[in-house]
Amino acid sequence: MSNHQNILKSSLTYLKGVGPNRAELLKTELRIFTYEDLLYHYPFRYVDKTQFHKIGNLRPDSETVQLKGILRRLTNEGSGRGKRLVGRLRDETGAIELVWFKGAQWIEKALTVGMEYVVFGKINNFRGKLSLPHPEMEAVSVANTKQAATFAPVYSSTDKLNNSGLDTKARRKMMVHLFGQITPEDLPENLPDYLVKKFKFPSRFLATRQIHFPKSQAELDLATKRLKFEELFLLQLRLLQLKGRRKNSILGYSFKTIGEHFNNFYNNKLPFELTGAQKRVIKEIRKDMGMGIQMNRLLQGDVGSGKTIVGLMCMLIALDNGFQACMMAPTEILAQQHYTALQEYLEDSPLKVGFLSGSIKGKKRKALLAELEAGDIHILVGTHALIEDWVIFKNLGLTITDEQHRFGVAQRAKLWMKSKPYPPHVLVMTATPIPRTLAMTLYGDLDISVIDELPPGRKEIKTIHQTENNRLRMIGFMKQEIEKGRQIYVVYPLIEESATLDLLNLEEGFESLSRDFPIDKGYQISVVHGRMKAKDKDFEMQRFVRGETQIMVATTVIEVGVNVPNASVMVIENTERFGLSQLHQLRGRVGRGADQSYCILMSSFKLSKEAKFRIETMVRTNNGFDISEADLKLRGPGNIEGTQQSGILDFKIANLAQDGKILQVAREIANRILEDDPKLEKPHHLPLKTYLETHGKKIKLWSRIS
Ligand code: ADP
Ligand code: MG
């Protein structure tokens, strides 16, 4: 058995036909080091060698086709930029042109006129004349080797690999050699027998072989399903196991009392009725903090759903039980704003709120830290300065992290250390919703609360897409709104690499707005951008908050959390350069008061397909949960903001944008299994236990690090 375990760990140099040079290339180009890596590098598509289109029957709309025919001609045509290699493929029904604009030299060498080829490509239709640009070509003699006779795998590759003879054909041969060397014992079953039977799955070994060399579409489908399920299920099992273990072993403070602070606030100060969702979530959190086990909870809610007040009320519970609490925000502006809001809410109470950021220095900081350590400050609000070692609490009971995805992993880890004997309870609030599948995975070991309801009386924000030739009309519209007493944001993108250019954009925009809205007509404009000193930013921000300026020109520093209910128009410049979640966050800055609000998306006339989709999504819906799903489909799980740091989404085959249903089933089954057999001690769970013990430790977990 132990020999068998080891063979998968063998270096690729030991595989027939690989050798040191090729092994090195596979290492550097695709990070394939061992047999195992190669095995798990699944094909990204297949060529069905059994089905061929007849050239005579091709229609302009038959997109991707596979043909079999004889290469009749191969000539270089055209000159300069129009230079191309042109071939002619003929079968018994007709002929079609093959065209290469790039790599002609290489291709010309590789092909032989008069040979029979399997040709795969996408049809191009130019004024009724069909051709195949850059088709894949494989000589029939090669295609008919035993394993590749039916469904041939196609592997992702790079130019460097292709040019060194490590193309998809060579990779297929390597796979054939690999399967010649391993046996079912090398890939022992890791799912319980009853699940394999229930879903009629192939065994782990079979599925792995079939994913590389399927004999039919049906076989491929089932192998794919099994491997996706396996991957998602084992991860969920691991996450849920850790969640369960944490709940059994990481003790925490038990907040038994709902006392004076909470009740006083609830009865006398709360300026509005809580929504049903807010009430439910507070109940969930309260229960969680009263069990003597450390809470680790994610609070999801759309922009404007009222997460801050929920955070405050949870902090009051901590305070009622004699503990301190803190709230950390990703930017100075946002932290300031939380601080101001909390101070107002707690005005006539004996509770003291402190503020800490990098800009609080010297004596002021010293005094603050002394008060904090003495327990005279009850709630500390601030930026990531909060996590510094020199920030010492008397007794920290609850930490709230607002808009958490902005914080690095290591930053958050430090909050755990700020309390003894138990770690503080942890509440993490998201800026915008994350798709269900992502939440289930990325935060799969946390408890999740969702605020799925907006406060009543909000009018749906009207979102309008405009291009440059409508700018004058937009200025007119802005004037109208200002006339009504409303305020307006105008936001410019600021993306690091081109920060200087972007700043120029913003400055030009500001100047042009200053001409349209001159001071002598009573207009005032604030400017805020990331390169300003914190003090100046704050000054400008405060002028806008107090209503002294009607327009706020800003970069995305205002994206997160800023709350000025009187602002009713959000103009976004260069919309095509923003991501969906950013756009949604920005739009969420308006629609916070009782007035009809507007979001105007300015863009250039010509848009990429993706930018168009983003803008259409924004115009179509105001719902952050919908938008996050659309974003996931568009960009894939790896590119959603805040997910990159965690290796947890590096799936071999599962895809969270597509496999939501499988994930749901996998999680339900994992849950049921752990309820019935938390330690996986029953004999029929032995395969799971064995597998998790040897493979389950690579996952980075968020609860550990928040
Ligand atoms: P977010 O969830 O985006 O952080 P906030 O906490 O900033 O949202 O709340 C947005 C606005 O809604 C604030 O002005 C807040 O005072 C207000 N608000 C919160 N809860 C309610 C409620 N139940 N009824 C009315 N207004 C509310
Ligand atoms: Mg907020």
Side-chain angles (χ1 to χ4, degrees):
M1 189 79 182
S2 60
N3 296 350
H4 280 122
Q5 292 291 355
N6 285 337
I7 190 166
L8 290 182
K9 303 282 176 210
S10 313
S11 154
L12 270 192
T13 38
Y14 298 108
L15 189 66
K16 197 176 153 195
V18 178
N21 289 344
R22 288 183 155 193
E24 188 60 32
L25 263 177
L26 285 163
K27 233 184 256 182
T28 50
E29 292 291 290
L30 295 176
R31 305 201 53 72
I32 295 178
F33 295 86
T34 62
Y35 282 25
E36 196 173 29
D37 298 335
L38 188 67
L39 200 60
Y40 292 149
H41 204 97
Y42 299 143
F44 75 97
R45 101 184 152 66
Y46 303 83
V47 182
D48 180 353
K49 302 278 179 189
T50 61
Q51 304 288 327
F52 295 100
H53 293 78
K54 294 288 173 221
I55 296 177
N57 297 340
L58 292 181
R59 287 194 318 265
D61 56 351
S62 41
E63 266 229 311
T64 312
V65 295
Q66 181 167 251
L67 309 170
K68 185 152 73 171
I70 307 222
L71 186 64
R72 278 297 172 212
R73 192 157 59 78
L74 198 60
T75 48
N76 283 293
E77 292 181 12
S79 61
R81 300 194 75 202
K83 213 171 152 187
R84 60 199 186 272
L85 180 68
V86 179
R88 195 164 182 78
L89 188 81
R90 175 172 287 285
D91 69 6
E92 67 280 11
T93 63
I96 188 169
E97 196 160 270
L98 316 172
V99 196
W100 292 269
F101 298 98
K102 277 187 212 152
Q105 249 184 331
W106 167 258
I107 291 155
E108 196 178 357
K109 248 192 262 166
L111 298 178
T112 315
V113 174
M115 278 241 287
E116 189 175 27
Y117 286 93
V118 171
V119 178
F120 186 87
K122 250 190 191 160
I123 295 215
N124 182 40
N125 173 16
F126 183 70
R127 296 191 184 141
K129 185 172 180 256
L130 305 186
S131 66
L132 282 183
H134 289 268
E136 267 172 45
M137 307 280 292
E138 191 163 4
V140 168
S141 54
V142 178
N144 279 344
T145 55
K146 207 166 139 218
Q147 273 79 6
T150 50
F151 257 54
V154 180
Y155 296 95
S156 62
S157 191
T158 66
D159 284 347
K160 225 172 169 178
L161 287 175
N162 285 331
N163 294 339
S164 314
L166 271 175
D167 56 5
T168 224
K169 278 174 259 174
R171 293 278 297 287
R172 272 176 218 160
K173 268 194 205 153
M174 284 168 62
M175 289 314 298
V176 173
H177 291 313
L178 181 61
F179 276 103
Q181 271 185 263
I182 61 172
T183 69
E185 275 173 75
D186 297 315
L187 287 172
E189 186 52 71
N190 53 12
L191 296 178
D193 192 42
Y194 65 89
L195 280 184
V196 176
K197 288 211 172 94
K198 177 183 154 100
F199 293 114
K200 301 195 171 64
F201 282 152
S203 72
R204 182 167 169 231
F205 178 79
L206 258 186
T208 310
R209 202 176 69 197
Q210 290 167 351
I211 199 94
H212 288 284
F213 298 113
K215 291 211 181 63
S216 67
Q217 188 65 47
E219 196 176 277
L220 175 61
D221 290 348
L222 200 56
T224 306
K225 200 166 153 203
R226 149 143 199 158
L227 293 174
K228 284 183 169 189
F229 176 85
E230 176 191 317
E231 189 164 39
L232 293 169
F233 169 73
L234 291 169
L235 178 59
Q236 287 304 324
L237 199 67
R238 175 89 181 131
L239 290 168
L240 290 168
Q241 222 178 10
L242 276 155
K243 181 170 161 184
R245 226 173 271 163
R246 176 162 53 70
K247 291 198 152 175
N248 285 325
S249 65
I250 305 188
L251 297 180
Y253 303 113
S254 178
F255 297 167
K256 292 284 182 219
T257 323
I258 294 290
E260 180 193 351
H261 298 313
F262 185 95
N263 286 327
N264 197 15
F265 179 80
Y266 189 78
N267 296 324
N268 306 323
K269 297 286 293 189
L270 189 63
F272 36 67
E273 175 81 7
L274 293 175
T275 63
Q278 284 172 317
K279 284 184 192 162
R280 170 173 46 77
V281 163
I282 291 173
K283 255 187 220 149
E284 286 167 4
I285 295 170
R286 178 190 157 187
K287 186 171 166 222
D288 220 5
M289 295 193 301
M291 310 229 287
I293 289 154
Q294 191 218 14
M295 172 176 79
N296 249 287
R297 190 169 277 275
L298 177 76
L299 175 57
Q300 281 225 63
D302 207 343
V303 187
S305 61
K307 295 182 288 281
T308 316
I309 202 93
V310 169
L312 169 61
M313 293 180 73
C314 295
M315 292 199 285
L316 293 177
I317 297 176
L319 270 43
D320 271 335
N321 288 271
F323 286 86
Q324 292 167 299
C326 71
M327 186 184 264
M328 183 162 78
T331 64
E332 175 106 16
I333 290 179
L334 184 56
Q336 265 293 344
Q337 193 175 290
H338 282 328
Y339 173 62
T340 314
L342 294 188
Q343 264 186 323
E344 261 168 44
Y345 282 138
L346 302 176
E347 207 166 31
D348 319 313
S349 80
L351 295 173
K352 185 157 184 194
V353 186
F355 178 80
L356 179 67
S357 76
S359 63
I360 307 288
K361 292 195 182 108
K363 276 192 193 136
K364 222 169 149 188
R365 177 192 284 184
K366 227 170 159 181
L368 179 90
L369 292 176
E371 276 186 287
L372 186 70
E373 196 166 356
D376 295 336
I377 285 180
H378 304 95
I379 294 177
L380 183 63
V381 181
T383 59
H384 56 269
L386 254 61
I387 63 174
E388 298 295 342
D389 292 333
W390 39 262
V391 179
I392 299 163
F393 291 81
K394 180 176 177 222
N395 57 358
L396 179 63
L398 169 66
T399 81
I400 297 183
T401 315
D402 195 14
E403 331 290 15
Q404 74 87 29
H405 68 254
R406 292 301 186 93
F407 291 100
V409 166
Q411 286 180 314
R412 274 177 278 116
K414 288 189 160 182
L415 279 175
W416 273 57
M417 320 299 277
K418 294 214 177 276
S419 178
K420 294 238 158 64
Y422 304 135
H425 294 299
V426 173
L427 184 67
V428 168
M429 307 200 286
T430 61
T432 46
I434 346 170
R436 261 178 68 75
T437 52
L438 264 188
M440 241 192 265
T441 308
L442 210 46
Y443 304 96
D445 59 328
L446 305 197
D447 293 298
I448 299 182
S449 288
V450 181
I451 306 184
D452 51 6
E453 183 183 352
L454 291 180
R458 295 265 170 87
K459 287 210 178 82
E460 183 110 322
I461 301 164
K462 289 204 171 118
T463 303
I464 304 143
H465 177 209
Q466 300 270 270
T467 50
E468 205 50 43
N469 35 6
N470 290 319
R471 189 169 287 279
L472 269 181
R473 259 180 62 202
M474 186 189 73
I475 301 284
F477 176 71
M478 286 168 71
K479 286 192 170 150
Q480 262 177 32
E481 285 296 301
I482 292 173
E483 197 70 21
K484 289 191 215 154
R486 304 286 99 81
Q487 288 165 285
I488 297 175
Y489 295 102
V490 180
V491 178
Y492 288 83
L494 193 131
I495 293 162
E496 276 313 315
E497 304 99 74
S498 56
T500 317
L501 197 68
D502 283 339
L503 216 52
L504 219 66
N505 266 340
L506 177 136
E507 273 159 14
E508 271 170 21
F510 172 67
E511 270 165 30
S512 139
L513 280 170
S514 306
R515 284 191 294 273
D516 291 322
F517 299 89
I519 292 189
D520 55 14
K521 295 259 171 69
Y523 293 111
Q524 294 279 344
I525 306 179
S526 293
V527 186
V528 173
H529 59 76
R531 295 249 180 119
M532 284 162 71
K533 289 206 182 97
K535 222 173 73 196
D536 300 336
K537 259 194 265 187
D538 188 47
F539 175 77
E540 290 285 304
M541 196 65 218
Q542 288 311 323
R543 288 208 308 152
F544 189 68
V545 171
R546 286 195 299 264
E548 293 165 14
T549 60
Q550 299 98 345
I551 301 177
M552 159 69 77
V553 176
T555 56
T556 42
V557 287
I558 63 136
E559 172 192 339
V560 185
V562 172
N563 188 24
V564 180
N566 190 48
S568 66
V569 182
M570 166 64 66
V571 179
I572 301 176
E573 297 283 354
N574 296 313
T575 304
E576 62 268 42
R577 289 181 55 196
F578 290 94
L580 261 178
S581 81
Q582 238 181 343
L583 289 173
H584 183 58
Q585 259 298 325
L586 284 171
R587 178 168 60 185
R589 298 309 104 213
V590 297
R592 302 186 152 236
D595 316 295
Q596 176 62 54
S597 290
Y598 302 88
C599 175
I600 303 174
L601 306 172
M602 297 296 292
S603 81
S604 54
F605 191 68
K606 258 189 111 172
L607 291 173
S608 71
K609 213 167 127 193
E610 234 196 83
K612 215 164 154 191
F613 176 81
R614 286 198 299 266
I615 290 174
E616 280 166 8
T617 304
M618 288 296 294
V619 171
R620 173 174 63 82
T621 177
N622 267 293
N623 183 319
F625 288 90
D626 281 356
I627 289 175
S628 71
E629 295 290 344
D631 202 19
L632 177 65
K633 293 231 159 66
L634 188 68
R635 293 195 294 164
N639 294 315
I640 303 288
E641 214 173 327
T643 62
Q644 291 93 339
Q645 311 148 322
S646 160
I648 204 165
L649 295 178
D650 299 340
F651 290 114
K652 294 199 284 279
I653 188 165
N655 177 341
L656 292 184
Q658 289 159 10
D659 300 329
K661 269 199 193 125
I662 302 181
L663 175 61
Q664 184 70 38
V665 173
R667 184 161 174 105
E668 273 161 27
I669 293 176
N671 236 329
R672 236 179 294 142
I673 288 181
L674 289 176
E675 261 166 36
D676 162 56
D677 184 14
K679 294 192 169 157
L680 302 174
E681 287 164 331
K682 298 194 173 166
H684 54 278
H685 289 146
L686 188 67
L688 285 175
K689 194 176 170 172
T690 316
Y691 185 84
L692 288 180
E693 273 167 6
T694 47
H695 293 78
K697 303 223 166 61
K698 291 177 207 150
I699 311 167
K700 257 192 224 163
L701 289 162
W702 286 76
S703 66
R704 286 282 173 78
I705 51 196
S706 34

